[in-house]
């Protein structure tokens, strides 16, 4: 009887030690995750507007850094919606709702694939996410954005690593403004008149008009005379002919552009675009735009720089350059 009692006590002692060791290990793991650092910043920052994730994305660069002296291990889902979450507060301290697609995905029974990642002391792991896949930005305003990273996946939400806070400004949609500005009666002979609008709005309206195949609006802020002379041969011919011939050359140039026979880059139709940077003086300026072109199996990314000049208060595009930024 005494031996049996001693055996039971021994078994309980061993189990207690095992449970205590497991609890301490879990605490150590939690402490390691807590001490690690999660940082976010804007990726290729530009101007942001309301809209769906594809036409006006807001890309956030996420970096997880092991700031401890031990190995940091965590799980990262292939679909990162199961590993991270964005939180955005309004200036009135209200919280933005998640997108319907995110809520639907997280409430649907499915297999979630993930990788286990190990970082040594001082090592980092980074990736880029589109915050509009997570949150619905429907109104222009100032938002305060944070990220929560779940090292044991979204189902273990009690263990979370918080990031720094970003200030995100969503501006009134220039696309919508552009459409209202350039809207015309398609079946009338109404003559369009250029308006005294800012350089970035000029470029915005021109691109939107091309996306909608509205050629009158597309050429509205285009200095075709100078665009035609970008080619040295055309320039030489243009300067040697009469005024009537010059007018004819400009009309032929417009026709060739509409049929994509020449200067294909300037009439290519982007799937989406973002105005990156605008610089100008009283009479000269440039507008840099990132444009994406969709093909069957990939997307091509390019940077267009539109050179603009002001005449009688009206900004016009007179030249451009294109840099290829690779594929996605």
């Amino acid at each position: 009887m005494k031996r049996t009692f001693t055996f039971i006590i021994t078994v309980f002692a061993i189990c207690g030690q095992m449970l205590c060791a497991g609890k301490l290990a879990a605490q150590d793991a939690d402490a390691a995750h807590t001490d690690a650092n999660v940082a976010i910043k804007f990726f290729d920052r530009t101007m942001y507007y309301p809209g769906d994730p594809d036409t006006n994305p807001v890309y956030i660069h996420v970096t997880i850094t092991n700031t401890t002296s031990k190995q940091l291990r965590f799980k990262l889902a292939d679909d990162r919606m199961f590993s991270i979450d964005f939180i955005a507060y309004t200036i009135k301290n209200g919280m933005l709702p998640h997108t319907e697609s995110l809520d639907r995905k997280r409430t649907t029974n499915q297999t979630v694939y993930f990788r286990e990642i190990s970082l040594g002391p001082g090592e980092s792991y980074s990736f880029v996410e589109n915050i509009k896949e997570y949150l619905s930005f429907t109104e222009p305003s100032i938002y305060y954005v944070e990220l929560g990273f779940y090292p044991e996946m979204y189902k273990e939400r009690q263990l979370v690593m918080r990031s720094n806070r970003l200030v995100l400004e969503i501006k009134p949609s220039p696309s919508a403004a552009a459409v209202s500005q350039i809207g015309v009666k398609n079946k009338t002979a109404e003559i369009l008149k250029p308006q005294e609008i800012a350089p970035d709005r000029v470029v915005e309206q021109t691109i939107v008009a091309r996306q909608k195949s509205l050629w009158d609006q597309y050429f509205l802020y285009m200095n075709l005379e100078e665009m035609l002379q970008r080619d040295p041969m055309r320039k030489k011919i243009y300067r040697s002919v009469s005024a009537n011939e010059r007018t004819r050359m400009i009309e032929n140039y417009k026709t060739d552009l509409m049929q994509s026979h020449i200067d294909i880059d300037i009439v290519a139709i982007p799937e989406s675009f973002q105005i990156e940077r605008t610089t100008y003086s009283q009479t000269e300026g440039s507008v840099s735009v990132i444009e994406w072109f969709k093909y069957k199996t990939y997307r091509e990314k390019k940077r267009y720089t539109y050179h603009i000049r002001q005449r009688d208060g009206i900004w016009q595009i007179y030249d451009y350059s294109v840099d290829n930024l690779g594929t996605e």
Side-chain angles (χ1 to χ4, degrees):
M1 183 70 177
K2 185 176 180 181
R3 290 181 181 178
T4 303
F5 182 73
T6 302
F7 176 74
I8 292 173
I9 292 176
T10 302
V11 170
F12 275 110
I14 293 172
C15 290
Q17 290 176 355
M18 292 176 65
L19 289 171
C20 184
K23 185 176 181 180
L24 289 173
Q27 289 175 345
D28 288 342
D30 290 354
H33 287 139
T34 302
D35 293 337
N37 178 261
V38 178
I40 59 174
K41 63 180 181 180
F42 292 105
F43 179 76
D44 197 16
R45 184 166 187 167
T46 182
M47 289 182 286
Y48 304 112
Y49 309 104
D52 61 67
D54 295 324
T55 58
N56 189 245
V58 179
Y59 290 115
I60 303 294
H61 187 273
V62 183
T63 301
I64 303 165
T65 303
N66 183 3
T67 56
T68 73
S69 59
K70 301 178 181 179
Q71 204 76 4
L72 174 67
R73 294 181 174 83
F74 57 86
K75 299 173 183 177
L76 185 66
D78 293 346
D79 185 342
R80 296 190 183 114
M81 288 184 174
F82 293 97
S83 283
I84 67 172
D85 203 4
F86 285 101
I87 302 170
Y89 299 94
T90 67
I91 56 178
K92 295 182 179 179
N93 207 34
M95 288 182 62
L96 284 190
H98 286 129
T99 61
E100 291 183 5
S101 59
L102 175 62
D103 288 335
R104 185 167 55 250
K105 183 176 292 186
R106 285 178 175 172
T107 55
T108 301
N109 290 328
Q110 59 180 299
T111 302
V112 179
Y113 298 95
F114 64 90
R115 293 175 292 161
E116 289 192 353
I117 295 177
S118 178
L119 298 178
E123 292 183 340
S124 298
Y125 184 88
S126 299
F127 52 89
V128 176
E129 284 292 288
N130 182 1
I131 192 175
K132 283 194 174 180
E133 299 282 358
Y134 296 77
L135 299 172
S136 297
F137 296 92
T138 58
E139 299 294 335
S141 185
I142 300 293
Y143 299 95
Y144 304 99
V145 175
E146 298 176 0
L147 177 137
F149 174 67
Y150 306 103
E152 294 299 322
M153 310 280 282
Y154 181 73
K155 289 184 178 180
E156 301 295 333
R157 292 191 294 278
Q158 69 276 10
L159 181 58
V160 60
M161 300 161 62
R162 296 291 181 186
S163 76
N164 56 301
R165 177 174 287 192
L166 298 178
V167 179
L168 170 61
E169 182 180 3
I170 301 293
K171 296 187 175 183
S173 176
S175 296
V179 170
S180 65
Q181 287 284 343
I182 66 177
V184 295
K185 299 175 182 179
N186 295 328
K187 296 183 179 180
T188 70
E190 182 180 344
I191 298 176
L192 295 169
K193 293 183 179 180
Q195 304 295 317
E196 295 185 13
I197 58 177
D200 55 338
R201 287 286 307 282
V202 165
V203 172
E204 177 80 22
Q205 287 196 194
T206 302
I207 298 174
V208 171
R210 182 66 191 101
Q211 287 178 321
K212 296 178 177 294
S213 296
L214 301 174
W215 288 107
D216 288 339
Q217 290 92 326
Y218 176 74
F219 292 125
L220 189 60
Y221 295 98
M222 195 87 71
N223 188 325
L224 292 172
E225 182 179 11
E226 294 198 40
M227 292 286 288
L228 180 151
Q229 295 181 73
R230 294 178 69 253
D231 179 83
M233 184 60 69
R234 290 199 303 257
K235 181 178 181 179
K236 183 177 180 180
I237 296 173
Y238 184 82
R239 293 191 172 186
S240 65
V241 299
S242 66
N244 289 336
E245 283 296 322
R246 290 182 179 183
T247 301
R248 188 177 295 111
M249 283 187 68
I250 291 175
E251 289 302 315
N252 289 339
Y253 178 66
K254 286 178 63 176
T255 301
D256 287 339
L257 285 176
M258 293 170 66
Q259 297 176 354
S260 299
H261 289 165
I262 57 175
D263 295 351
I264 298 175
D265 282 330
I266 195 63
V267 292
I269 304 176
E271 178 195 26
S272 59
F273 65 94
Q274 293 180 355
I275 295 180
E276 183 181 40
R277 182 173 54 257
T278 302
T279 58
Y280 60 95
S281 63
Q282 289 185 344
T283 56
E284 294 274 345
S286 65
V287 180
S288 175
V289 184
I290 303 298
E291 302 186 24
W292 286 267
F293 299 85
K294 187 176 181 180
Y295 299 92
K296 287 186 178 180
T297 58
Y298 66 95
R299 289 206 313 168
E300 194 171 28
K301 183 179 179 181
K302 297 182 179 182
R303 175 181 286 110
Y304 277 68
T305 302
Y306 298 87
H307 300 282
I308 53 178
R309 181 176 293 137
Q310 186 183 126
R311 287 185 176 179
D312 299 323
I314 304 298
W315 288 97
Q316 291 182 315
I317 300 169
Y318 70 90
D319 197 1
Y320 70 96
S321 62
V322 182
D323 297 316
N324 292 318
L325 301 180
T327 58
E328 299 178 346

